[in-house]
Amino acid sequence: MAKTKLSKSELRIERDPVFTPRFLIALLLIAVGIAWIAYFYTGVRPAHTGGKYTGPDSIAKLKDWNYLIGFGLFFLGLIVSAHPRTPLGRGRGVVVGMLGCFLIGLVWICVFYIFSDNLDKIWVFNDLGQKNLFVGIAFMAVGFAFATRWE
């Protein structure tokens, strides 16, 4: 039986582009969400309980709603990245995104429970209080968004 020879063009595997517009939008949403939380925590919120908010009035008036905006943008970016046209939405990226979100959510909740008596020194955790459970569960929910893409 004769073996057939494959040409180099037949051996090439077609790969989807990495930086698609959808993936760039997802990265932008994630970065803006992180930046929003970091800016509010370091530049706007009061340094001590009962202190005065600093920074732009429009952000200071939102008070703790800023965390919802920041985490909302962050999680929206992760959900957008679960599409098959992004590296996290196809192949091994789905498993990485799914397990990563599940583990980060689990660790977030565990850290909250372990240090719940004294959250004063843990950034962001100290402001969120019991809302840390929502953040951990939201990470797990995004993990399920990745799980729906797993084949």
Side-chain angles (χ1 to χ4, degrees), residues 81-94:
S81 72
H83 193 274
R85 290 192 179 149
T86 65
L88 285 176
R90 60 181 180 257
R92 293 182 190 140
V94 174

Side-chain angles (χ1 to χ4, degrees), residues 61-131:
K61 285 180 185 177
L62 293 173
K63 298 184 180 176
D64 287 342
W65 285 95
N66 284 296
Y67 288 114
L68 179 66
I69 293 168
F71 279 114
L73 290 170
F74 179 79
F75 290 131
L76 180 64
L78 284 176
I79 290 171
V80 168
S81 72
H83 193 274
R85 290 192 179 149
T86 65
L88 285 176
R90 60 181 180 257
R92 293 182 190 140
V94 174
V95 177
V96 170
M98 177 182 65
L99 292 178
C101 286
F102 285 155
L103 290 175
I104 290 171
L106 179 65
V107 167
W108 192 284
I109 292 171
C110 289
V111 166
F112 168 67
Y113 275 123
I114 290 169
F115 296 105
S116 63
D117 292 337
N118 190 11
L119 287 174
D120 295 337
K121 296 182 181 177
I122 304 175
W123 290 8
V124 179
F125 280 79
N126 57 0
D127 283 352
L128 292 175
Q130 291 290 324
K131 295 174 203 145

